[in-house]
Amino acid sequence: MSSATLGNRNTNHKAIVAWIEETAKACQPDRIFWCDGSAREREALIAEGVKQGVLIKLNQEKWPGCYYHRSNPNDVARVEQCTFICTESPEEAGPTNNWAPPREMYQKLGGLLAGSMRHRTMYVIPYLMGPPGSPLTKMGVELTDSVYVALNMGVMTRMGQVAYDHLGDRDHFNRGIHTMLDVNPDRRFICHFPQDNTIISVGSAYGGNVLLGKKCLALRIGSYLGRKEGWMAEHMLILGVESPAGEKTFVAAAFPSACGKTNFAMLIPPAHFKGWKIWTVGDDICWMKPGADGRLYAINPENGYFGVVPGTNSKSNPNAMKSIARDTFFTNVALTPDFDIWWEGKDGPAPSQCLDWRGNPWTPASKEKAAHPNSRFTAPMRNNPALASEVDDPNGVPISAIIFGGRRAATMPLVFEAFNWAHGVYVGATMGSEMTAAAVGGLGQVRRDPMAMLPFAGYNMGDYFAHWLHMRKRIARPPRIFHVNWFRKDEQGNFLWPGYGENMRVLKWIVDRCHGRVGASEGPLGWMPRVEDFDFTNVREFGAEQFAKVQAINPEEWKRELVSQNELFVSLHATVPKELIFERELLVSRLMP
Ligand code: OXD
Ligand code: MN
């Protein structure tokens, strides 16, 4: 290796070492830092981050072990227009992804990577997605020139020797290269080469674009590998519902980015549900595989939470507040003069003055938000008091229900259950949601977001639907499939359902359906709870009339919905499975007067 020194190299894996040497030769870092994931190393990296001005130490009495980071204002969310799937043919990537030919993209990136780490350190991050020893777990190595990325990967993944040990002398590891360049949106590319199990991300420092284990490996490359290897990589939280008698039922739920997956995964049942408990397995990503008993088993590949901060408080999500209370990185919230932090929706009053997420002076009279709407916490999942004890189980947890849901002001009822797996796949495939701040552009517009995977499916969306349908043949005891919408509003714009902890009531109906102990009536959309099947005692200002409103099926809204659902199918016409076309026909006839 030319200019770089190897330092404390901690692996002899031939293919890994050769690839690192090759990358170092191209990027020319001054130094290579081999991460081992230890607490001592974390301290050293934090000191380096503080020295570089990348991190600011927060008030340690209020926020022990916590640090503050401000990103470049041009780099605050995932950029879907700069995200590419580089498969051999454009058909493999499909019309919902940006595609580029691999050779061309490697060449372009090669030019950008050349000398990109000069005067910088290249951090070598060996990591696992999933618990050690699980057949679903994947090993990756990320090479990055960002100390912030090294530290955040240390929270979000199982990082260090554990990853080399899991891999052993096998060659199946993900290669990830990240370099910030000058954080210029014109030179920002997040590129996936599924056939090579390789990711190259340049020109950004925002989590979703640069913590390569998360969206890039666990979802885009993961979904591609899942289809090839017979498993499923999904944008879903996983939670366990424990009854007072100790019965545990696990469900997975797909909601688009910033639609409340973290809140739902950490839900605290209202007082009315005495003895019931919700356990968090994961809040964002779920890998599932059929088990020997014919059920679908899931793991959370992550080790931490990369959550949206605004709106988090002791009412909306007490467990998240406890999760972020220590050893957490905060990105793009507001900073007060005494090194406390603030965000819109935090408990208590706004500070009389602070610095906003850009570092500009802010007071409550300011028109701009103090925290960016997509400001984030990176918190260790082990801080969560409701962390499920099964989270490290290599076998995962058996899934009894899959829930799809979007943010819809109209049209979609609070809850219904699909008639069967194929119908459930249709329900997931036609999911729609209003866009949020998690991605750049289009705020508030309804867009089709199949299974909440629109920005994350690493191959043709029609083939992804076919994979879902095909999986049914491999699962003898499939989960039931449901759709929920916490966000329906009345004509005055008020939410029809209180949400948050009260969502336990919906979850309870779902769990009871899974165990065959509660009724429903057959409707055009699927099975719906009758008023007597749904427990809304003690929900403030909510009775049978409100229940009817939140569950109503409005024919005019459904006419528009069907047209909009069809637009997605038209765009995928070359690959959309015929089963879904038939499901659509059945839905249309059920909705006809
Ligand atoms: C996320 C996202 O960060 O979905 O989880 O954007
Ligand atoms: Mn997500």
Side-chain angles (χ1 to χ4, degrees):
M1 202 170 298
S2 56
S3 57
T5 49
L6 266 178
N8 49 340
R9 177 172 126 181
N10 52 9
T11 179
N12 289 321
H13 191 290
K14 280 203 181 65
I16 292 181
V17 171
W19 166 68
I20 291 172
E21 285 182 353
E22 185 193 314
T23 307
K25 207 162 140 205
C27 299
Q28 298 176 26
D30 281 7
R31 192 168 154 251
I32 298 181
F33 189 108
W34 300 75
C35 297
D36 64 14
S38 66
R40 224 175 88 204
E41 172 181 282
R42 184 177 187 274
E43 289 311 309
L45 293 179
I46 284 176
E48 175 61 27
V50 171
K51 194 170 113 201
Q52 285 180 18
V54 171
L55 295 178
I56 294 176
K57 191 175 193 163
L58 288 175
N59 181 325
Q60 295 294 296
E61 262 166 46
K62 290 186 175 159
W63 298 100
C66 296
Y67 289 81
Y68 177 82
H69 172 73
R70 223 176 254 135
S71 78
N72 188 315
N74 76 31
D75 189 33
V76 291
R78 284 184 292 96
V79 272
E80 291 170 14
Q81 63 278 22
C82 306
T83 302
F84 287 82
I85 302 294
C86 306
T87 42
E88 281 305 322
S89 73
E91 292 75 27
E92 280 170 280
T96 60
N97 283 311
N98 299 313
W99 174 81
R103 217 157 314 138
E104 220 171 82
M105 193 50 107
Y106 273 131
Q107 205 165 9
K108 183 185 214 154
L109 293 168
L112 291 168
L113 289 178
S116 63
M117 297 189 189
R118 231 173 266 151
H119 312 304
R120 298 162 96 138
T121 299
M122 180 168 90
Y123 299 91
V124 177
I125 305 167
Y127 67 94
L128 284 186
M129 298 310 287
S134 170
L136 274 164
T137 291
K138 298 283 182 208
M139 195 271 183
V141 181
E142 176 166 352
L143 308 179
T144 176
D145 59 356
S146 157
V147 69
Y148 170 83
V149 169
L151 281 161
N152 279 259
M153 283 294 283
V155 178
M156 295 305 296
T157 72
R158 293 162 173 92
M159 191 241 262
Q161 191 58 39
V162 65
Y164 291 129
D165 291 347
H166 179 92
L167 184 67
D169 54 12
R170 289 174 297 165
D171 249 355
H172 195 66
F173 67 95
N174 180 271
R175 294 162 163 79
I177 303 175
H178 164 245
T179 176
M180 293 186 289
L181 303 178
D182 52 352
V183 197
N184 176 348
D186 295 335
R187 306 200 301 156
R188 186 167 294 158
F189 296 96
I190 297 98
C191 300
H192 306 72
F193 301 88
Q195 274 119 347
D196 303 337
N197 199 1
T198 293
I199 305 156
I200 303 179
S201 168
V202 300
S204 171
Y206 170 72
N209 300 326
V210 300
L211 306 178
L212 300 184
K214 191 174 176 68
K215 301 301 179 181
C216 300
L217 171 53
L219 290 177
R220 298 196 189 97
I221 299 274
S223 59
Y224 179 94
L225 292 176
R227 176 172 176 239
K228 208 165 99 183
E229 298 167 0
W231 55 279
M232 303 164 88
E234 301 301 334
H235 192 200
M236 292 178 179
L237 66 95
I238 311 165
L239 62 80
V241 184
E242 185 174 343
S243 76
E247 167 198 79
K248 268 197 188 171
T249 309
F250 293 94
V251 313
F255 307 152
S257 307
C259 286
K261 282 200 298 299
T262 306
N263 287 350
F264 193 47
M266 298 182 184
L267 181 151
I268 296 186
H272 176 65
F273 286 83
K274 205 164 174 285
W276 290 81
K277 185 108 186 65
I278 302 297
W279 299 104
T280 316
V281 181
D283 80 326
D284 193 42
I285 298 175
C286 166
W287 285 355
M288 297 186 281
K289 186 181 167 59
D293 63 355
R295 304 184 72 185
L296 195 54
Y297 280 77
I299 62 160
N300 166 20
E302 301 193 275
N303 199 36
Y305 307 124
F306 182 64
V308 177
V309 182
T312 307
N313 57 52
S314 57
K315 180 170 173 279
S316 66
N317 195 337
N319 285 330
M321 290 304 288
K322 290 186 183 125
S323 303
I324 65 179
R326 54 178 60 246
D327 303 325
T328 293
F329 297 102
F330 291 93
T331 301
N332 291 340
V333 295
L335 185 65
T336 70
D338 62 344
F339 294 91
D340 191 356
I341 43 174
W342 190 77
W343 56 83
E344 279 74 14
K346 191 182 176 209
D347 294 304
S352 57
Q353 52 164 317
C354 62
L355 295 178
D356 71 9
W357 65 274
R358 288 187 175 91
N360 296 328
W362 185 95
T363 70
S366 303
K367 288 203 176 59
E368 306 269 331
K369 300 250 190 254
H372 187 276
N374 192 39
S375 49
R376 297 280 178 150
F377 54 77
T378 317
M381 72 174 177
R382 318 234 167 225
N383 283 357
N384 178 3
L387 187 69
S389 58
E390 296 82 355
V391 78
D392 293 314
D393 187 338
N395 298 316
V397 294
I399 297 296
S400 297
I402 290 175
I403 306 174
F404 294 116
R407 181 185 287 272
R408 299 295 300 269
T411 318
M412 281 297 178
L414 178 62
V415 61
F416 64 89
E417 179 187 346
F419 293 119
N420 53 39
W421 182 269
H423 178 223
V425 174
Y426 178 87
V427 169
T430 53
M431 239 170 81
S433 194
E434 291 154 24
M435 282 189 73
T436 66
V440 174
L443 205 68
Q445 282 166 28
V446 171
R447 73 165 177 181
R448 293 291 131 198
D449 189 351
M451 278 95 168
M453 283 288 278
L454 184 69
F456 306 122
Y459 61 100
N460 191 306
M461 190 61 86
D463 294 334
Y464 167 79
F465 297 157
H467 178 53
W468 263 83
L469 291 165
H470 178 73
M471 284 303 290
R472 171 67 185 90
K473 301 185 179 140
R474 307 198 42 227
I475 313 165
R477 296 162 62 196
R480 293 187 185 221
I481 299 181
F482 298 82
H483 188 280
V484 300
N485 175 25
W486 316 135
F487 302 96
R488 195 168 191 180
K489 290 182 177 167
D490 65 15
E491 299 75 31
Q492 286 74 47
N494 305 309
F495 285 110
L496 283 165
W497 175 249
Y500 299 110
E502 301 299 349
N503 293 338
M504 179 66 205
R505 296 167 189 271
V506 177
L507 195 50
K508 170 78 167 36
W509 182 75
I510 289 174
V511 165
D512 284 343
R513 288 294 291 168
C514 293
H515 294 290
R517 56 188 180 217
V518 70
S521 69
E522 188 178 339
L525 305 186
W527 295 104
M528 285 186 141
R530 297 161 303 183
V531 70
E532 65 268 32
D533 301 319
F534 195 81
D535 181 357
F536 45 80
T537 37
N538 300 337
V539 189
R540 256 191 340 136
E541 292 163 28
F542 195 93
E545 204 183 310
Q546 283 71 23
F547 182 70
K549 265 195 197 160
V550 78
Q551 286 292 83
I553 299 168
N554 177 320
E556 286 311 309
E557 288 175 353
W558 271 92
K559 268 187 208 153
R560 285 196 291 277
E561 177 69 12
L562 285 169
V563 171
S564 156
Q565 290 185 354
N566 204 37
E567 278 166 16
L568 172 79
F569 282 10
V570 169
S571 74
L572 294 172
H573 64 92
T575 51
V576 74
K578 62 181 184 321
E579 289 91 328
L580 297 192
I581 309 287
F582 296 151
E583 286 295 342
R584 178 184 157 76
E585 293 301 308
L586 287 170
L587 174 62
V588 170
S589 33
R590 287 196 303 266
L591 281 164
M592 276 201 313

